[in-house]
Amino acid sequence: MLWIGHSVGRHGENVHADVIVVQSLLNRFGLPHKNHLKVDGYAGPLTNGAIVVFQLHIGFEHPDGLVQPGGRTWQALTTPFLMKEVFVDLQNAWIKAQDFILNPAGSIEQMDRSMRGVSFITRTPRSSVKQNDLTFYDWDKRGAVVNAAILSPQPAKVAWGAKVSSDFKVKLFRICKDLSLNPDYLMTCMALESDRTFSPSVVNKSSGATGLIQFMPQYSPSTVGATTADLAKMSSVQQLDYVERYFRYNISHIVPKKERNNIKRLVDVYLVILAPASVGKPDGAIVYAGGTGAYSGNAGSFDPNKTGNITVGGVAQGLQVFYKEGLEAKNFG
């Protein structure tokens, strides 16, 4: 899962890579600052202020503007499921439930509640409701169930999430947790690669690349065990499994060893797809030199200043357009 090794924010240690993680997570909540934070690894007044606003949003009475590894603010920033406040009437009994926070397996991690006349909370059989539903039961003195109410948690919002289904987002969060990737970043990469369609069958007419991350015909069988023709027949949710396979293959076989557990920048998530050997390199490093086919195929997106080479910095600049667009109200969902 996503992690930070040091405190971030007001009077924090503010290690560059950790600040990047926190800034990107703050952006996904769409809190009321005029512009999204610049993800630059610098914990200045805007970042510290956004932490305070977020802490107020999650119920801090005395926000300290600091994100501690594993602390309450960190847990809230990285929670994949959040159910909003609900009120349930169980035959004159009542439940006030606020901020149900569940992990991907569906177990409760944090819950504030007030109860009267309600004896227990339990999971319902999977055959009767959706996998992540919870049921509140009320029973009488003889032990017979008097009433019940089913509540279904919804996936948290994510960049470009308005373009995909809830099932897609549930799987996305699971993959990103397992691979320690920022879900907003992976969604941004798929938005760019699929030309904002998130279609499993979208094809680049020049290269034959197909689907969510534009799987290449010549590499797909060896890296993910499926042809592009097979991939195009899948649903977007099914194809996510092959996106995960692709990332696992490239991270374990091509990404430099020292970078395999440190893929925190948006540009590095995308480079796992585009040019995994370049993950972790500085902005000035050349990804594709001018005059090559790879340069020609990507120059329009990643060499906006026509320098003659595609650099890590050029790729990062091209990605920012899609990242910011994905966090707009019409796409963030």
Side-chain angles (χ1 to χ4, degrees), residues 86-90 93-97 100 113-115 118 136:
V86 294
F87 294 89
V88 182
D89 183 9
L90 302 182
W94 58 273
I95 298 174
K96 180 182 178 184
F100 287 79
R113 64 182 184 269
S114 301
M115 296 184 182
V118 178
F136 292 80

Side-chain angles (χ1 to χ4, degrees), residues 225-280:
T227 67
T228 51
D230 294 331
L231 291 164
K233 296 174 184 177
M234 299 176 184
S235 70
S236 58
V237 176
Q238 290 170 328
Q239 198 177 103
L240 273 177
D241 292 328
Y242 292 83
V243 172
E244 180 180 11
R245 287 187 189 184
Y246 185 87
F247 267 76
R248 288 190 182 280
Y249 181 91
N250 281 358
I251 291 171
S252 63
H253 289 81
I254 309 175
V255 170
K257 288 184 178 180
K258 66 178 182 177
E259 304 295 341
R260 291 175 183 175
N261 295 315
N262 194 39
I263 302 173
K264 294 185 178 182
R265 299 184 301 174
L266 170 58
V267 68
D268 286 330
V269 177
Y270 185 69
L271 286 170
V272 174
I273 301 170
L274 181 72
S278 295
V279 169

Side-chain angles (χ1 to χ4, degrees), residues 8 30-31 42 50 52 56 73 84 92 102 125 130 159 167-168 172 185 246 252 255 261 271 275 290 298 305 325:
V8 172
L31 294 173
Y42 171 66
V52 169
L56 289 169
T73 306
K84 298 299 184 181
N92 299 320
L102 297 95
K130 295 179 181 178
D167 288 342
F168 187 101
L172 171 84
Y185 290 177
Y246 185 87
S252 63
V255 170
N261 295 315
L271 286 170
N298 292 281
N305 300 322
E325 187 178 336

Side-chain angles (χ1 to χ4, degrees), residues 18-320:
D18 292 333
V19 176
I20 285 175
V21 172
V22 170
Q23 287 172 328
S24 62
L25 289 171
L26 286 166
N27 277 342
R28 69 191 311 276
F29 283 88
L31 294 173
H33 31 80
K34 184 177 180 181
N35 297 306
H36 286 101
L37 294 171
K38 182 178 180 181
V39 183
D40 58 4
Y42 171 66
L46 290 177
T47 297
N48 295 341
I51 293 171
V52 169
V53 171
F54 180 77
Q55 289 176 329
L56 289 169
H57 177 73
I58 62 173
F60 273 59
E61 291 186 10
H62 304 289
D64 59 7
L66 190 66
V67 181
Q68 296 277 11
R72 180 181 172 190
T73 306
W74 173 254
Q75 292 296 327
L77 281 170
T78 55
T79 296
F81 293 95
L82 173 63
M83 181 185 286
K84 298 299 184 181
E85 182 172 335
V86 294
F87 294 89
V88 182
D89 183 9
L90 302 182
Q91 292 189 352
N92 299 320
W94 58 273
I95 298 174
K96 180 182 178 184
Q98 293 179 308
D99 291 342
F100 287 79
I101 299 178
L102 297 95
N103 64 29
S107 61
I108 296 172
E109 293 181 347
Q110 174 184 337
M111 183 170 66
D112 299 323
R113 64 182 184 269
S114 301
M115 296 184 182
R116 184 177 64 204
V118 178
S119 300
F120 68 93
I121 301 173
T122 187
R123 293 284 303 227
T124 54
R126 291 189 179 184
S127 59
S128 62
V129 295
K130 295 179 181 178
Q131 181 176 352
N132 285 326
D133 286 355
L134 301 176
T135 297
F136 292 80
Y137 288 103
D138 182 30
W139 72 70
D140 61 20
K141 293 180 180 178
R142 296 173 297 174
V145 173
V146 176
N147 204 349
I150 296 176
L151 306 174
S152 299
Q154 299 298 316
K157 291 184 177 182
V158 66
W160 293 102
K163 300 292 185 181
V164 298
S165 68
S166 292
D167 288 342
F168 187 101
K169 287 189 283 187
V170 168
K171 183 173 283 189
L172 171 84
F173 281 121
R174 194 272 302 162
I175 291 170
C176 288
K177 178 178 182 294
D178 290 347
L179 296 178
S180 298
L181 301 176
N182 184 316
D184 295 311
Y185 290 177
L186 183 53
M187 287 293 285
T188 296
C189 296
M190 290 189 287
L192 188 156
E193 288 291 280
S194 69
D195 195 20
R196 302 175 175 85
T197 66
F198 292 90
S199 167
S201 58
V202 63
V203 178
N204 182 303
K205 294 180 180 178
S206 299
S207 66
T210 301
L212 294 172
I213 58 171
Q214 294 292 275
F215 296 93
M216 294 294 287
Q218 62 269 42
Y219 302 129
S220 292
S222 60
T223 56
V224 300
T227 67
T228 51
D230 294 331
L231 291 164
K233 296 174 184 177
M234 299 176 184
S235 70
S236 58
V237 176
Q238 290 170 328
Q239 198 177 103
L240 273 177
D241 292 328
Y242 292 83
V243 172
E244 180 180 11
R245 287 187 189 184
Y246 185 87
F247 267 76
R248 288 190 182 280
Y249 181 91
N250 281 358
I251 291 171
S252 63
H253 289 81
I254 309 175
V255 170
K257 288 184 178 180
K258 66 178 182 177
E259 304 295 341
R260 291 175 183 175
N261 295 315
N262 194 39
I263 302 173
K264 294 185 178 182
R265 299 184 301 174
L266 170 58
V267 68
D268 286 330
V269 177
Y270 185 69
L271 286 170
V272 174
I273 301 170
L274 181 72
S278 295
V279 169
K281 291 186 176 180
D283 285 352
I286 294 175
V287 178
Y288 294 132
T292 63
Y295 172 84
S296 300
N298 292 281
S301 299
F302 302 131
D303 188 16
N305 300 322
K306 297 181 171 41
T307 64
N309 293 308
I310 291 176
T311 63
V312 170
V315 175
Q317 184 178 346
L319 285 165
Q320 282 302 309

